[in-house]
Amino acid sequence: MEAHPYTTAPAGSATLASLPVQPLLTSEFDADPGGVYARLRHMYGPVAPVGLMGVPVWLVLGYREVVEVLRNDSQWRRDVRHWRARTEGLLPVDWPLLAGYEVRQTMFMDDDEHQDARRTHHSALRPFQDGHTPQGWELRAAVARYADELIALLGAESGTAGFADLGAQYTRPLLLMVTTRLFGCPGELGDELVMDLWRMLDGGPDAGAATARAASAMTRLAAHRRARPGDDLTSYMLLADPGLSDERLGRELFMNAVYLNDITGNMVLNTLLEVLRGNATVRSSLSAGQLGEAVNRAVLVNPPVANMCFRFAARDMRLGDFWIRAGDAVSPSAAAAHRDLMALDSSHLVESTISTRAHLGWGAGQHQCPSAARELGGMIVATAVGRAFEHFARAELTLPPDQLPWRAGPVVRGLRLLPVRYELKAKAPGIPDAGTPEPPGAPATATGRAGKGLLAALRRLMPGGR
């Protein structure tokens, strides 16, 4: 960022309150968010004033500016208490997105408090990070097995050829099964959890109630595992920091559930979409067995978090063509930044393996996903995508790509459904038949232990979307 002698904004410079803001969430944005980002960039430059459900915020569109905001932790704060509009009582009391920001957990902490919380997460995730440890190996094997079982269930229901929604019938149940195992959830984990996470992130009228329900479910899980510790993330969190209260641990589990189910799930679906719609670079990476590279290329096109969580200016600062005042909220747009990156006069770099890692799917700076979480998330996405195409002899979209329904919301970029016509390959050895009883004494599998009831419930809740 260019240095400037002023410590405060110059007199007469435009303020966010003085500027006419354009509503971001419109039918135009639902249909073509990329076009809206391009129009705003043309009108305002790399930073634009927008209205978000009636609240003015700065939308950061340029790649360099987004990275600056994400990496300059001392200037761009995460704690919602820095938000001047909130402190001054200027936010509508029922503003849908506020409930999520009020959940006090690692994402919305700064400085030493944030670093201490990250160390707890890293310590708890470490046993699952390494594929050579028993916990890591078992988790990786479970993800592959759950994926195989869900594909087998498609075959059992529809035969070797049929139609499926790879959202409701594959990705979302897969991620909930993984959550159940990783968190050490009892069988009664509510099927509504995934839907409540959606409601919170999409900012609907019931976002506040949904946030409270999801956080409450995770607090109950924390209390359950404190009484009955096991070989799971929840128990390892308590081991890493025994002083965590059930409520605080529940809030941390809540954050992890958001990323594991909604954000990682969107990354799976967006990667599947890019393969199915014929993205040549994604397909070539997949064909070469470079699953991680295929995911990186898909994330550049459609990052699962389109507009990232607010940062709040610690002091007046010039960003783009505007002066941002202390306490203003800025929303770094990964989706717009990726468009900016790919439009730079360095297309030869954008095509390289190294440059695809410049995507912001996991964030950047001090608040990016911890390394252990990034590795686990990447493993889950790569496994889910790889296992699907391992079993499909053929798969094609049943809707044109430009007619697929996307969720309408200010944060995520996620499909409501991904409808396909498929043909399965001949059943590979070791893939379970979803209709065959398991032998006595066999370990519980996804379809046997949680999958059948859970999958049925999810299909009732998400028949091709909400």
Short mmCIF file of all heavy atoms in Angstrom, two decimals, residues 117-151:
data_model
loop_
_atom_site.label_atom_id
_atom_site.label_comp_id
_atom_site.label_asym_id
_atom_site.label_seq_id
_atom_site.Cartn_x
_atom_site.Cartn_y
_atom_site.Cartn_z
N ALA A 117 -5.74 -19.13 20.65
CA ALA A 117 -6.81 -19.99 20.15
C ALA A 117 -6.32 -20.80 18.96
O ALA A 117 -6.66 -21.99 18.82
CB ALA A 117 -8.03 -19.16 19.78
N ARG A 118 -5.53 -20.21 18.09
CA ARG A 118 -5.01 -20.94 16.93
C ARG A 118 -4.08 -22.08 17.38
O ARG A 118 -4.09 -23.16 16.77
CB ARG A 118 -4.26 -19.99 15.99
CG ARG A 118 -5.16 -19.16 15.12
CD ARG A 118 -4.36 -18.26 14.21
NE ARG A 118 -3.65 -19.01 13.17
CZ ARG A 118 -4.16 -19.26 11.96
NH1 ARG A 118 -5.38 -18.86 11.66
NH2 ARG A 118 -3.46 -19.91 11.07
N ARG A 119 -3.29 -21.83 18.40
CA ARG A 119 -2.40 -22.89 18.89
C ARG A 119 -3.22 -24.08 19.41
O ARG A 119 -2.84 -25.24 19.20
CB ARG A 119 -1.48 -22.35 19.97
CG ARG A 119 -0.28 -21.59 19.42
CD ARG A 119 0.74 -21.30 20.50
NE ARG A 119 0.27 -20.26 21.41
CZ ARG A 119 0.50 -18.95 21.22
NH1 ARG A 119 1.16 -18.54 20.15
NH2 ARG A 119 0.05 -18.07 22.10
N THR A 120 -4.32 -23.80 20.07
CA THR A 120 -5.19 -24.88 20.53
C THR A 120 -5.73 -25.67 19.36
O THR A 120 -5.73 -26.91 19.38
CB THR A 120 -6.36 -24.30 21.37
OG1 THR A 120 -5.84 -23.65 22.52
CG2 THR A 120 -7.32 -25.40 21.79
N HIS A 121 -6.18 -24.98 18.32
CA HIS A 121 -6.69 -25.67 17.13
C HIS A 121 -5.60 -26.52 16.48
O HIS A 121 -5.84 -27.67 16.10
CB HIS A 121 -7.22 -24.66 16.11
CG HIS A 121 -8.62 -24.21 16.38
ND1 HIS A 121 -8.91 -23.15 17.19
CD2 HIS A 121 -9.80 -24.70 15.95
CE1 HIS A 121 -10.23 -22.99 17.23
NE2 HIS A 121 -10.79 -23.91 16.50
N HIS A 122 -4.41 -25.94 16.34
CA HIS A 122 -3.34 -26.66 15.67
C HIS A 122 -2.97 -27.92 16.45
O HIS A 122 -2.78 -28.99 15.87
CB HIS A 122 -2.12 -25.76 15.52
CG HIS A 122 -1.02 -26.39 14.73
ND1 HIS A 122 -1.07 -26.51 13.35
CD2 HIS A 122 0.15 -26.97 15.11
CE1 HIS A 122 0.03 -27.12 12.93
NE2 HIS A 122 0.78 -27.41 13.96
N SER A 123 -2.89 -27.80 17.78
CA SER A 123 -2.55 -28.96 18.60
C SER A 123 -3.62 -30.04 18.48
O SER A 123 -3.31 -31.24 18.39
CB SER A 123 -2.40 -28.52 20.06
OG SER A 123 -2.15 -29.63 20.90
N ALA A 124 -4.89 -29.64 18.49
CA ALA A 124 -5.98 -30.62 18.42
C ALA A 124 -6.07 -31.27 17.05
O ALA A 124 -6.43 -32.46 16.94
CB ALA A 124 -7.30 -29.94 18.77
N LEU A 125 -5.76 -30.52 15.99
CA LEU A 125 -5.86 -31.06 14.63
C LEU A 125 -4.65 -31.90 14.24
O LEU A 125 -4.74 -32.72 13.32
CB LEU A 125 -6.01 -29.90 13.63
CG LEU A 125 -7.38 -29.23 13.57
CD1 LEU A 125 -7.29 -27.91 12.83
CD2 LEU A 125 -8.40 -30.15 12.89
N ARG A 126 -3.52 -31.70 14.93
CA ARG A 126 -2.27 -32.35 14.52
C ARG A 126 -2.39 -33.87 14.38
O ARG A 126 -1.88 -34.43 13.41
CB ARG A 126 -1.15 -31.97 15.49
CG ARG A 126 0.24 -32.45 15.02
CD ARG A 126 1.30 -32.06 16.02
NE ARG A 126 1.35 -30.62 16.19
CZ ARG A 126 1.55 -30.01 17.35
NH1 ARG A 126 1.66 -30.72 18.46
NH2 ARG A 126 1.62 -28.69 17.41
N PRO A 127 -3.06 -34.58 15.30
CA PRO A 127 -3.13 -36.04 15.13
C PRO A 127 -3.84 -36.47 13.84
O PRO A 127 -3.58 -37.56 13.33
CB PRO A 127 -3.93 -36.49 16.36
CG PRO A 127 -3.75 -35.41 17.37
CD PRO A 127 -3.67 -34.15 16.58
N PHE A 128 -4.73 -35.61 13.31
CA PHE A 128 -5.48 -35.96 12.11
C PHE A 128 -4.81 -35.46 10.84
O PHE A 128 -5.20 -35.83 9.74
CB PHE A 128 -6.90 -35.37 12.20
CG PHE A 128 -7.63 -35.79 13.43
CD1 PHE A 128 -7.68 -34.97 14.54
CD2 PHE A 128 -8.28 -37.01 13.48
CE1 PHE A 128 -8.35 -35.36 15.69
CE2 PHE A 128 -8.96 -37.41 14.62
CZ PHE A 128 -8.99 -36.58 15.74
N GLN A 129 -3.79 -34.61 11.00
CA GLN A 129 -3.16 -33.97 9.85
C GLN A 129 -2.27 -34.94 9.08
O GLN A 129 -2.24 -34.92 7.85
CB GLN A 129 -2.34 -32.77 10.33
CG GLN A 129 -1.60 -32.03 9.23
CD GLN A 129 -0.77 -30.88 9.78
OE1 GLN A 129 -0.56 -30.79 10.99
NE2 GLN A 129 -0.31 -30.00 8.91
N ASP A 130 -1.56 -35.79 9.79
CA ASP A 130 -0.57 -36.68 9.19
C ASP A 130 -1.24 -38.00 8.83
O ASP A 130 -1.78 -38.69 9.69
CB ASP A 130 0.57 -36.91 10.19
CG ASP A 130 1.71 -37.72 9.59
OD1 ASP A 130 1.56 -38.24 8.46
OD2 ASP A 130 2.75 -37.82 10.25
N GLY A 131 -1.18 -38.35 7.55
CA GLY A 131 -1.78 -39.59 7.11
C GLY A 131 -1.08 -40.83 7.62
O GLY A 131 -1.60 -41.95 7.45
N HIS A 132 0.06 -40.67 8.28
CA HIS A 132 0.78 -41.83 8.81
C HIS A 132 0.45 -42.12 10.26
O HIS A 132 0.81 -43.17 10.78
CB HIS A 132 2.29 -41.62 8.66
CG HIS A 132 2.73 -41.47 7.23
ND1 HIS A 132 2.69 -42.50 6.32
CD2 HIS A 132 3.20 -40.39 6.55
CE1 HIS A 132 3.14 -42.08 5.14
NE2 HIS A 132 3.44 -40.79 5.26
N THR A 133 -0.24 -41.18 10.95
CA THR A 133 -0.68 -41.47 12.31
C THR A 133 -1.95 -42.31 12.26
O THR A 133 -2.68 -42.27 11.27
CB THR A 133 -0.96 -40.17 13.08
OG1 THR A 133 -2.08 -39.51 12.45
CG2 THR A 133 0.25 -39.25 13.08
N PRO A 134 -2.25 -43.07 13.32
CA PRO A 134 -3.49 -43.86 13.30
C PRO A 134 -4.73 -42.99 13.07
O PRO A 134 -5.61 -43.35 12.29
CB PRO A 134 -3.51 -44.52 14.69
CG PRO A 134 -2.08 -44.55 15.13
CD PRO A 134 -1.44 -43.34 14.54
N GLN A 135 -4.78 -41.82 13.73
CA GLN A 135 -5.96 -40.96 13.58
C GLN A 135 -6.06 -40.42 12.15
O GLN A 135 -7.15 -40.40 11.55
CB GLN A 135 -5.91 -39.80 14.56
CG GLN A 135 -5.92 -40.20 16.02
CD GLN A 135 -4.51 -40.43 16.57
OE1 GLN A 135 -3.54 -40.57 15.80
NE2 GLN A 135 -4.38 -40.44 17.89
N GLY A 136 -4.92 -39.98 11.61
CA GLY A 136 -4.93 -39.43 10.26
C GLY A 136 -5.24 -40.48 9.22
O GLY A 136 -6.02 -40.25 8.29
N TRP A 137 -4.65 -41.66 9.38
CA TRP A 137 -4.91 -42.74 8.41
C TRP A 137 -6.37 -43.16 8.45
O TRP A 137 -7.01 -43.34 7.41
CB TRP A 137 -4.01 -43.94 8.73
CG TRP A 137 -4.15 -45.04 7.72
CD1 TRP A 137 -3.44 -45.20 6.57
CD2 TRP A 137 -5.09 -46.13 7.77
NE1 TRP A 137 -3.87 -46.32 5.89
CE2 TRP A 137 -4.89 -46.91 6.60
CE3 TRP A 137 -6.07 -46.52 8.68
CZ2 TRP A 137 -5.63 -48.05 6.34
CZ3 TRP A 137 -6.83 -47.64 8.40
CH2 TRP A 137 -6.60 -48.41 7.25
N GLU A 138 -6.91 -43.30 9.66
CA GLU A 138 -8.30 -43.74 9.77
C GLU A 138 -9.27 -42.70 9.21
O GLU A 138 -10.28 -43.05 8.59
CB GLU A 138 -8.62 -44.03 11.24
CG GLU A 138 -7.95 -45.29 11.77
CD GLU A 138 -8.09 -45.44 13.28
OE1 GLU A 138 -8.82 -44.61 13.88
OE2 GLU A 138 -7.49 -46.38 13.84
N LEU A 139 -8.97 -41.41 9.43
CA LEU A 139 -9.85 -40.38 8.88
C LEU A 139 -9.83 -40.40 7.36
O LEU A 139 -10.89 -40.32 6.72
CB LEU A 139 -9.43 -39.01 9.41
CG LEU A 139 -10.28 -37.84 8.90
CD1 LEU A 139 -11.74 -37.97 9.35
CD2 LEU A 139 -9.70 -36.51 9.37
N ARG A 140 -8.65 -40.50 6.78
CA ARG A 140 -8.56 -40.54 5.32
C ARG A 140 -9.27 -41.76 4.75
O ARG A 140 -9.97 -41.68 3.73
CB ARG A 140 -7.09 -40.52 4.90
CG ARG A 140 -6.46 -39.14 5.02
CD ARG A 140 -4.95 -39.19 5.16
NE ARG A 140 -4.38 -37.84 5.15
CZ ARG A 140 -4.43 -37.00 6.18
NH1 ARG A 140 -5.04 -37.36 7.29
NH2 ARG A 140 -3.90 -35.79 6.09
N ALA A 141 -9.10 -42.90 5.42
CA ALA A 141 -9.78 -44.11 4.96
C ALA A 141 -11.29 -43.95 5.09
O ALA A 141 -12.06 -44.40 4.22
CB ALA A 141 -9.30 -45.32 5.76
N ALA A 142 -11.74 -43.28 6.15
CA ALA A 142 -13.17 -43.10 6.36
C ALA A 142 -13.77 -42.20 5.29
O ALA A 142 -14.87 -42.47 4.77
CB ALA A 142 -13.43 -42.52 7.75
N VAL A 143 -13.07 -41.11 4.93
CA VAL A 143 -13.60 -40.22 3.89
C VAL A 143 -13.78 -40.98 2.58
O VAL A 143 -14.83 -40.88 1.92
CB VAL A 143 -12.66 -39.01 3.69
CG1 VAL A 143 -13.15 -38.14 2.53
CG2 VAL A 143 -12.58 -38.18 4.96
N ALA A 144 -12.78 -41.77 2.19
CA ALA A 144 -12.88 -42.55 0.96
C ALA A 144 -14.00 -43.57 1.05
O ALA A 144 -14.76 -43.78 0.10
CB ALA A 144 -11.55 -43.22 0.66
N ARG A 145 -14.11 -44.21 2.21
CA ARG A 145 -15.15 -45.24 2.37
C ARG A 145 -16.54 -44.63 2.33
O ARG A 145 -17.45 -45.16 1.68
CB ARG A 145 -14.94 -45.98 3.69
CG ARG A 145 -15.92 -47.14 3.88
CD ARG A 145 -15.57 -47.96 5.12
NE ARG A 145 -15.80 -47.24 6.36
CZ ARG A 145 -14.84 -46.78 7.16
NH1 ARG A 145 -13.56 -46.95 6.84
NH2 ARG A 145 -15.14 -46.15 8.28
N TYR A 146 -16.73 -43.49 3.00
CA TYR A 146 -18.03 -42.84 2.96
C TYR A 146 -18.39 -42.45 1.53
O TYR A 146 -19.55 -42.61 1.11
CB TYR A 146 -18.04 -41.59 3.85
CG TYR A 146 -17.84 -41.82 5.31
CD1 TYR A 146 -17.52 -40.77 6.17
CD2 TYR A 146 -17.98 -43.09 5.88
CE1 TYR A 146 -17.34 -40.96 7.53
CE2 TYR A 146 -17.80 -43.30 7.24
CZ TYR A 146 -17.48 -42.22 8.06
OH TYR A 146 -17.31 -42.42 9.40
N ALA A 147 -17.42 -41.90 0.79
CA ALA A 147 -17.68 -41.53 -0.60
C ALA A 147 -18.09 -42.76 -1.41
O ALA A 147 -19.06 -42.72 -2.18
CB ALA A 147 -16.44 -40.86 -1.20
N ASP A 148 -17.36 -43.86 -1.24
CA ASP A 148 -17.69 -45.08 -1.97
C ASP A 148 -19.09 -45.59 -1.62
O ASP A 148 -19.85 -46.03 -2.48
CB ASP A 148 -16.66 -46.18 -1.65
CG ASP A 148 -15.28 -45.88 -2.23
OD1 ASP A 148 -15.20 -45.04 -3.15
OD2 ASP A 148 -14.31 -46.51 -1.79
N GLU A 149 -19.43 -45.52 -0.33
CA GLU A 149 -20.73 -46.01 0.10
C GLU A 149 -21.87 -45.17 -0.46
O GLU A 149 -22.93 -45.71 -0.83
CB GLU A 149 -20.78 -46.05 1.63
CG GLU A 149 -19.89 -47.14 2.23
CD GLU A 149 -19.82 -47.06 3.75
OE1 GLU A 149 -20.38 -46.10 4.32
OE2 GLU A 149 -19.24 -47.97 4.35
N LEU A 150 -21.68 -43.86 -0.52
CA LEU A 150 -22.72 -43.01 -1.07
C LEU A 150 -22.91 -43.24 -2.56
O LEU A 150 -24.05 -43.23 -3.06
CB LEU A 150 -22.39 -41.54 -0.78
CG LEU A 150 -22.54 -41.13 0.68
CD1 LEU A 150 -21.86 -39.79 0.95
CD2 LEU A 150 -24.01 -41.08 1.09
N ILE A 151 -21.82 -43.46 -3.29
CA ILE A 151 -21.95 -43.81 -4.71
C ILE A 151 -22.62 -45.16 -4.85
O ILE A 151 -23.48 -45.37 -5.74
CB ILE A 151 -20.57 -43.80 -5.40
CG1 ILE A 151 -19.95 -42.40 -5.38
CG2 ILE A 151 -20.69 -44.30 -6.84
CD1 ILE A 151 -20.70 -41.36 -6.16
#
